[in-house]
Amino acid sequence: TWFIQRVLLTLLLPEWSDGTGLLKAWDVGAFHAVAVDQAQRIETDGWQAWTLKPNGWGVSGILSAWYAVTVPSPWAFAPVQSLMYAIGLMAVFALVRSVCGRPNDALIAVLPFLLAPSAATLYAQPHRDGFVFCALMLCLVGWWQLLRIQSERRWPRILWLGVMGCLLLLAGFLLGWSVRRFAAELFQVVALVMLALAVVSAIASRIGSTRPPLAGALVFSVVLV
């Protein structure tokens, strides 16, 4: 992220940059400008000047808070956006490995997120899509945790999966909503799809040769509600 912002766009391809390490004529430039303005008002008037969505942009509110405690420049936010992207990649890896059972398949699944040039627009630019990607993957891992409750027999494990699943769903929903309201609506659609999948999975396991543990089924039903 630092290489793309500070070297590639600033030194090697300055005609592509707006001068701050961001792509010229992209939304990120406007997000950054609004964030800098709010960060300056925070420095002058205190934290009562902070709002989550200045100009209607949640990403600018998050950026401005970070700029206020660090430096009002995109490179200062690079560790945060890179961490969010890494969390999203970890989620993809974990989900594919859980489904396929082979780490090599999971590694292949994350390669496009690492090697595709278009991926740099997510991890090297503080755009809303990077936040939404991380938020969506948190929600999917949360749902996967809840689905796994049905096959568990140990109460500590059941409670752990239930609590972690709910927390991941909450974190993903709030992160997505904070930067793009449409993302929150999208996650509700995902929730309906996963709920339908969960019901089908529960019915299929009940009529199959192996009956799921009663404790897991009961906790799973309560968590879904």
Side-chain angles (χ1 to χ4, degrees):
T1 300
W2 278 327
F3 174 80
I4 291 174
Q5 289 186 0
R6 306 292 289 172
V7 178
L8 184 64
L9 291 178
T10 302
L11 300 178
L12 301 181
L13 298 171
E15 65 275 11
W16 290 12
S17 175
D18 65 355
T20 64
L22 302 179
L23 287 169
K24 185 185 299 183
W26 259 46
D27 292 344
V28 287
F31 298 155
H32 168 69
V34 171
V36 170
D37 178 68
Q38 180 159 277
Q40 291 173 346
R41 284 189 279 112
I42 292 173
E43 184 177 355
T44 303
D45 304 329
W47 282 97
Q48 66 269 16
W50 181 84
T51 59
L52 175 60
K53 296 187 176 183
N55 206 34
W57 295 332
V59 63
S60 295
I62 297 173
L63 282 172
S64 67
W66 188 260
Y67 288 168
V69 298
T70 57
V71 179
S73 181
W75 66 262
F77 193 71
V80 179
Q81 69 189 59
S82 300
L83 177 62
M84 287 193 300
Y85 194 73
I87 291 173
L89 287 187
M90 289 168 59
V92 173
F93 184 90
L95 286 171
V96 176
R97 185 178 61 177
S98 296
V99 173
C100 298
R102 294 187 296 270
N104 287 343
D105 292 340
L107 180 61
I108 293 173
V110 301
L111 284 180
F113 295 91
L114 294 171
L115 303 179
S118 58
T121 61
L122 292 180
Y123 63 75
Q125 302 286 288
H127 200 277
R128 290 178 294 193
D129 293 341
F131 289 79
V132 174
F133 167 66
C134 179
L136 177 60
M137 296 315 303
L138 288 176
C139 284
L140 290 180
V141 173
W143 276 109
W144 179 248
Q145 297 285 76
L146 297 183
L147 287 172
R148 293 170 61 191
I149 292 177
Q150 296 182 77
S151 61
E152 288 292 334
R153 300 179 183 274
R154 297 169 295 169
W155 275 104
R157 183 66 175 169
I158 290 174
L159 295 177
W160 168 258
L161 290 175
V163 170
M164 288 303 299
C166 289
L167 289 178
L168 288 170
L169 280 172
L170 178 62
F173 185 87
L174 290 178
L175 179 61
W177 168 83
S178 67
V179 297
R180 181 171 279 168
R181 182 171 180 175
F182 173 74
E185 299 171 355
L186 173 64
F187 293 168
Q188 292 180 47
V189 175
V190 172
L192 291 176
V193 173
M194 296 303 294
L195 178 61
L197 178 63
V199 172
V200 171
S201 173
I203 295 174
S205 61
R206 294 298 293 181
I207 64 178
S209 57
T210 59
R211 297 171 66 87
L214 180 60
L218 289 176
V219 173
F220 179 69
S221 300
V222 172
V223 169
L224 285 185
V225 173

